[in-house]
Amino acid sequence: MECLPAALERAGSEESWAVADAISTVLKDSEELHSWRRQLLSACMKGLVAIYSSSKDESKPQVERPMLLRLEELLGVVEEVDPDDWCSLVKTGLKYRYRDGAFLKVLNAAIQLLYKEESSLRQ
């Protein structure tokens, strides 16, 4: 469980995400679930940064779309991010995917969620 978030950061690790989903299911009624989801959110953002950096000029929708959907889902549940991960994702995403509608849609949803009145990130 400790090694899985690092594996999730690598592009194309759908099998690892299936394991992460299984762990989330097991932790469903546990106090550890929120902490686990934060780790998954961080791994998802780092994974997207790695994907965007490695394929600068060409989009890989079959890899990027599932990660973007997962990011949106995790943001909705966790509602907080590590500021360094967030800044890195926004910077890299806007640098390499500023024309990608799927990225911009998720970015907009994340901004709406993270920068609402009650959010600590808003400051």
Side-chain angles (χ1 to χ4, degrees), residues 22-118:
I23 292 171
S24 295
T25 302
V26 170
L27 294 175
K28 182 179 168 190
D29 297 324
S30 170
E31 294 175 9
E32 296 178 57
L33 182 60
H34 186 72
S35 173
W36 174 247
R37 285 181 173 161
R38 283 191 63 155
Q39 290 178 14
L40 293 181
L41 179 59
S42 178
C44 187
M45 288 191 285
K46 288 176 183 174
L48 280 167
V49 168
I51 291 168
Y52 294 156
S53 297
S54 69
S55 58
K56 297 173 182 165
D57 296 327
E58 67 179 67
S59 177
K60 295 182 178 180
Q62 70 279 9
V63 177
E64 293 174 19
R65 299 287 187 260
M67 292 288 283
L68 286 168
L69 291 173
R70 188 171 297 277
L71 174 67
E72 190 172 25
E73 174 189 335
L74 286 167
L75 279 170
V77 175
V78 177
E79 294 187 355
E80 56 185 292
V81 296
D82 178 86
D84 293 334
D85 291 343
W86 175 245
C87 288
S88 181
L89 175 66
V90 171
K91 180 181 174 183
T92 307
L94 289 175
K95 184 174 183 179
Y96 299 117
R97 296 297 185 271
Y98 64 93
R99 292 184 180 171
D100 183 2
F103 168 74
L104 294 173
K105 177 184 166 274
V106 172
L107 180 63
N108 183 46
I111 289 170
Q112 298 300 318
L113 179 71
L114 295 173
Y115 292 93
K116 63 185 176 186
E117 270 312 300
E118 311 83 48

